[in-house]
C-alpha cells in the first residue's frame, strides 16, 4: 500500500475519460475486492479519494444498486455546460437544468423572471434531484448548474453519488460565446452573471476540472 501511494499520490477514479486526481483523504482500494479473491498485488491496487472510495464500495455492496449514474456539470455562464452534456447524451438520459425548467412554467426563458416564478423552478429542480437520489429505475442523469460554491457541489456529489465536472473558461471567452449564441435572452446582464460566478467560485480537488481556453 505504501509503495502504491508513493507511486500514485492522487485519486485515480476515472469518469468521462477524466481522472479525479484529488489529493484529499486518499485511500488505497482493491480493484477486485479481496472478498472476490482479489490479490494483494500492486496491479490490483488503486488510489481513491474518500468520496470515490465510498461510492465504489456502495456500488459493490449494493446500497447504490440500481441508482442512476450521475454527473454534475458546473461552470460559469457561457462555459459550454449544455454543449458538454448534449455531446454525451444517450437515449433515456435525464437532464436537470434550470434553463430547461424555466420556460416550462413561464412565457419566457429569461433569467430576469419574477422571484415567485424562480422559486417554483428551484423547487422543481430540488424535487427532481431528491427523487433521483432514491429512484432505482433511472440509468443516467446529468445535473447542469452554475454551482460555484464548494458546499453546493459537495451536496450534489454526496446526494447523487455523482462525479462533479467543472468547466473553467475565462470571463472574456465566456462573454464571446454568449454574444455568439442565438438562444440567449437579451434581458439578462450576462456580464454581471459571469463576474458573479467567478467571484463565488471555490475550487476543490474533489472536482474533475476541465480548463478551457475558447
Amino acid at each position: 500500500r505504501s509503495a502504491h501511494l508513493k507511486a500514485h499520490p492522487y485519486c485515480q477514479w476515472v469518469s468521462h475519460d477524466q481522472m479525479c486526481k484529488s489529493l484529499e483523504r486518499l485511500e488505497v482500494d482493491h480493484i477486485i475486492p479481496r472478498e472476490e479473491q482479489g490479490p494483494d498485488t500492486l496491479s490490483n491496487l488503486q488510489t481513491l479519494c474518500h468520496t470515490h472510495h465510498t461510492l465504489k464500495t456502495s456500488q459493490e455492496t449494493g446500497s447504490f444498486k440500481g441508482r442512476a449514474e450521475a454527473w454534475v456539470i458546473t461552470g460559469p455562464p457561457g462555459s459550454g455546460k449544455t454543449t458538454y452534456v448534449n455531446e454525451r447524451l444517450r437515449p433515456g438520459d435525464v437532464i436537470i437544468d434550470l434553463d430547461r425548467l424555466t420556460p416550462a412554467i413561464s412565457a419566457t426563458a429569461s433569467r430576469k423572471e419574477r422571484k415567485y416564478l424562480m422559486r417554483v423552478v428551484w423547487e422543481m429542480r430540488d424535487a427532481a434531484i431528491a427523487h433521483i437520489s432514491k429512484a432505482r429505475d433511472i440509468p443516467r442523469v446529468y445535473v447542469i448548474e452554475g454551482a460555484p460554491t464548494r458546499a453546493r457541489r459537495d451536496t450534489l456529489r454526496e446526494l447523487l453519488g455523482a462525479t462533479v465536472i467543472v468547466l473553467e473558461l475565462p470571463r472574456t471567452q465566456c462573454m464571446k460565446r454568449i454574444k455568439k449564441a442565438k438562444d440567449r435572452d437579451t434581458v439578462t446582464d450576462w456580464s454581471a452573471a459571469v463576474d458573479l460566478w467567478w467571484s463565488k467560485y471555490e475550487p476543490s480537488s474533489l472536482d474533475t476540472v476541465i480548463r478551457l481556453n475558447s
Side-chain angles (χ1 to χ4, degrees):
R1 285 174 176 250
S2 60
H4 177 82
L5 273 176
K6 185 175 181 180
H8 305 281
Y10 49 82
C11 179
Q12 295 177 283
W13 183 273
V14 176
S15 180
H16 279 203
D17 298 323
Q18 297 289 330
M19 186 176 289
C20 172
K21 293 188 177 180
S22 171
L23 305 177
E24 298 184 24
R25 301 177 67 185
L26 298 178
E27 301 171 10
V28 177
D29 171 72
H30 285 77
I31 299 172
I32 301 175
R34 283 178 292 186
E35 293 79 3
E36 298 178 13
Q37 286 70 55
D40 277 320
T41 59
L42 286 173
S43 62
N44 191 45
L45 297 180
Q46 63 180 342
T47 306
L48 297 178
C49 64
H50 178 73
T51 296
H52 285 131
H53 188 233
T54 300
L55 175 59
K56 179 175 181 286
T57 301
S58 297
Q59 292 171 340
E60 291 170 347
T61 59
S63 58
F64 266 67
K65 187 176 181 180
R67 290 274 295 272
E69 188 176 10
W71 293 272
V72 177
I73 312 302
T74 71
S79 58
K81 298 184 290 295
T82 299
T83 299
Y84 182 92
V85 170
N86 287 341
E87 290 174 348
R88 291 160 177 80
L89 279 179
R90 298 179 187 174
D93 286 356
V94 173
I95 305 173
I96 301 176
D97 181 8
L98 290 179
D99 287 343
R100 292 172 182 253
L101 293 173
T102 302
I105 65 163
S106 174
T108 70
S110 172
R111 287 181 174 269
K112 289 288 187 179
E113 295 286 1
R114 296 180 185 275
K115 289 184 178 180
Y116 68 82
L117 286 173
M118 292 313 301
R119 285 199 300 269
V120 174
V121 174
W122 293 328
E123 290 183 12
M124 289 168 61
R125 175 200 63 188
D126 292 345
I129 290 173
H131 173 80
I132 289 170
S133 71
K134 300 174 183 178
R136 291 294 185 273
D137 59 348
I138 300 172
R140 292 161 38 109
V141 61
Y142 288 94
V143 178
I144 301 176
E145 280 197 27
T149 65
R150 178 171 178 168
R152 176 58 179 171
R153 299 195 304 276
D154 285 348
T155 295
L156 293 170
R157 189 185 349 260
E158 296 294 333
L159 189 61
L160 298 173
T163 296
V164 175
I165 296 176
V166 181
L167 304 181
E168 288 188 3
L169 184 68
R171 179 192 181 283
T172 54
Q173 297 302 320
C174 287
M175 291 308 302
K176 284 182 179 180
R177 287 189 177 187
I178 290 171
K179 290 177 181 178
K180 290 181 180 179
K182 297 179 180 180
D183 59 344
R184 294 279 181 175
D185 71 79
T186 57
V187 178
T188 301
D189 184 350
W190 290 109
S191 178
V194 173
D195 286 343
L196 181 63
W197 190 92
W198 276 107
S199 69
K200 290 187 174 183
Y201 178 44
E202 299 169 340
S204 169
S205 64
L206 294 176
D207 302 328
T208 298
V209 177
I210 299 177
R211 292 182 172 86
L212 307 169
N213 294 316
S214 60

